[in-house]
Amino acid sequence: MAVQENEGYRGPQVCKIVGITYRQLDYWARTDLLRPSVSEARGSGTQRRYSYRDLLELKVIKRLLDAGVSLQSARRAIECLRGGLGEDVASANLVLDEGSSVLAHSDGELIDLLKGGQGVFNIVRLNGVVEELDAAITEFGPAPTVPDTHVEAAAGSGS
Amino acid sequence: MAVQENEGYRGPQVCKIVGITYRQLDYWARTDLLRPSVSEARGSGTQRRYSYRDLLELKVIKRLLDAGVSLQSARRAIECLRGGLGEDVASANLVLDEGSSVLAHSDGELIDLLKGGQGVFNIVRLNGVVEELDAAITEFGPAPTVPDTHVEAAAGSGS
DNA sequence: CTGGGAAGTCACACGGTCGGAATTACGCCC
DNA sequence: GGGCGTAATTCCGACCGTGTGACTTCCCAG
C-alpha cells in the first residue's frame, strides 16, 4: 500500500488533538524526540504527517511534561514505549526508574518494581490515554471547524 | 536553648553529604527552595547553617532531580514533606500527582493513589533515604578530611 | 595582620519554549 | 500558464529556568 499524500494527521491538527503548542511539536521533531512517521516536511509550505501511534506517544509525552518530568526523561520513556510495541500497552503502567523504563501489567508487578531500583519512579497510567486520544480525534480530527471532506478522509485513514 | 554559632551543618559540608554542587545549594537558597533553617548567612565570609531536617529534604530533592523531575515539581514535593512533619516519614512513599503530593504508608494505599489522580505520578521511596543520609554524615559530617574537634561537635549537635 | 574558607556577584551556557516574520508549497481560479 | 490566498514550515531573536565558572568581597580564627 503506497503512502497517500493525505494520509496521517497534519502538524497543526496534531497540536489540537494532543494539546501542545506548534513550537513544541516543531522542537520535538527537530531534536529527534518524535519525528512524523508518515511523512516528513519537504520544506516550508509542505506538511509533516503523523500516525495514530505518533499521537499516542505525543500524548504520553504531554502527560509526563504536565507532571513536571523533564523532556530528557520523557525521551527515555518514549524509547521504552517503542520497545513494548507488541504488548498490550493500553492497559499497562509505564514505570520509569532512573536510567531504565518498564511496562508493568499488574498491581503486583508494579509494587515489586517500586521495591527495587534507585527509589525514585515516574509512573504513567496508560489505560486512560487511548480513550482520551480517541475523544480528541473525534473532536479535532475528523471534523475541523471548517468542514473539509479532504481532511475528513485523511483522519479516517489515520486510525 | 539559644542557638550556638557552630550549630548545624555548613554549606560546603552539606554539599558533600547530600551529593550536590555548591552552586545548586546556593541557587536553591536564593530562590527559596530551601533556605538554611538554623542560620542564614549575614554576608560574604559568614556561613549558612543547615539542620538535619534540611539535609533530609535536600536529599529528597536530589533524588527527584536525578530521576528527571523538574525543580519546580520538586518544590511542590518538598512542601508536602513539610506538611507531613509529624508522620513516620522514614517508612513512607512520597507520591506526587499533578498538582498535589501525598505520603503513602502502605502498598494498598499506594495502589489506590495510583488509580486516582491525573494518571502520572512521581514516587520517592523514603525508607532508604534516612539511612543513606546518616551514612553520608558519618563519612563527611563528623570526620572531615582535616580533623577538627570544633566541627565534630557541630555535627554531633546537628542530629 | 594574614590566610583560609564561605558567600556574593556577574557573565555566560544550555535546554526548552515563545512570538513574530519570512519563506515556500499547493490548490484554486481566471 | 499565471496570480492569489491560505496554510505550513522555517528562521531568528528573546525569554525563562537552572545552573556553571571565574572572580571579588568579606568574615573569622589564629
Side-chain angles (χ1 to χ4, degrees):
Chain A
M1 187 195 294
V3 174
Q4 300 299 318
E5 281 202 9
N6 308 331
E7 189 166 349
Y9 299 80
R10 296 169 299 109
Q13 189 178 20
V14 168
C15 295
K16 280 195 219 154
I17 293 170
V18 175
I20 57 178
T21 66
Y22 186 85
R23 291 275 159 280
Q24 287 178 301
L25 189 65
D26 189 38
Y27 181 76
W28 299 347
R30 289 175 184 287
T31 54
D32 296 326
L33 173 56
L34 196 147
R35 312 190 74 94
S37 65
V38 173
S39 169
E40 299 259 13
R42 282 160 288 106
S44 282
T46 63
Q47 303 185 329
R48 292 182 175 114
R49 288 280 172 170
Y50 292 83
S51 67
Y52 181 82
R53 179 75 198 198
D54 291 339
L55 267 56
L56 187 58
E57 290 180 5
L58 285 168
K59 197 74 186 178
V60 171
I61 294 170
K62 168 77 160 63
R63 283 208 160 182
L64 286 166
L65 293 189
D66 286 348
V69 175
S70 70
L71 201 64
Q72 289 281 22
S73 291
R75 287 179 190 265
R76 286 193 290 112
I78 291 305
E79 287 305 321
C80 172
L81 209 55
R82 285 174 185 148
L85 246 185
E87 305 180 49
D88 182 15
V89 166
S91 66
N93 283 294
L94 176 60
V95 182
L96 282 70
D97 184 10
E98 197 180 325
S100 69
S101 310
V102 185
L103 281 171
H105 296 280
S106 69
D107 289 349
E109 193 177 351
L110 187 52
I111 292 290
D112 281 348
L113 283 172
L114 296 188
K115 290 202 160 49
Q118 304 294 303
V120 189
F121 307 87
N122 302 298
I123 300 181
V124 185
R125 191 175 64 218
L126 295 174
N127 80 352
V129 174
V130 174
E131 284 85 348
E132 206 173 296
L133 182 60
D134 290 346
I137 287 172
T138 300
E139 188 179 355
F140 297 114
T145 307
V146 180
D148 186 335
T149 315
H150 179 78
V151 176
E152 262 185 304
S157 68
S159 56
Chain B
M1 185 194 296
V3 175
Q4 302 298 319
E5 280 201 12
N6 309 330
E7 192 167 348
Y9 300 77
R10 295 169 302 107
Q13 188 179 24
V14 168
C15 296
K16 279 195 218 151
I17 293 170
V18 175
I20 56 177
T21 66
Y22 185 84
R23 286 280 157 268
Q24 285 179 300
L25 189 64
D26 189 41
Y27 178 75
W28 299 346
R30 290 175 185 285
T31 55
D32 295 326
L33 172 57
L34 194 147
R35 310 191 75 95
S37 66
V38 173
S39 168
E40 299 261 15
R42 283 162 286 107
S44 281
T46 62
Q47 301 187 332
R48 294 184 176 112
R49 288 280 173 173
Y50 292 84
S51 68
Y52 181 82
R53 178 76 196 198
D54 290 338
L55 267 59
L56 186 59
E57 289 180 5
L58 286 168
K59 197 76 185 177
V60 173
I61 293 169
K62 166 84 158 60
R63 281 204 164 187
L64 286 167
L65 293 189
D66 286 346
V69 176
S70 69
L71 200 65
Q72 291 278 24
S73 292
R75 289 177 188 265
R76 287 193 288 111
I78 290 305
E79 287 305 320
C80 171
L81 210 52
R82 286 175 184 148
L85 245 187
E87 303 180 52
D88 182 15
V89 166
S91 65
N93 283 294
L94 176 60
V95 182
L96 282 68
D97 185 11
E98 198 181 323
S100 70
S101 308
V102 185
L103 281 170
H105 297 280
S106 70
D107 289 349
E109 193 178 352
L110 187 51
I111 292 289
D112 282 348
L113 284 172
L114 296 187
K115 292 202 157 57
Q118 303 295 304
V120 188
F121 306 87
N122 302 297
I123 300 182
V124 185
R125 193 176 63 221
L126 296 174
N127 80 352
V129 175
V130 174
E131 286 83 348
E132 205 173 295
L133 182 61
D134 290 346
I137 288 171
T138 302
E139 187 178 357
F140 297 115
T145 308
V146 182
D148 185 336
T149 315
H150 180 77
V151 176
E152 261 184 301
S157 67
S159 56

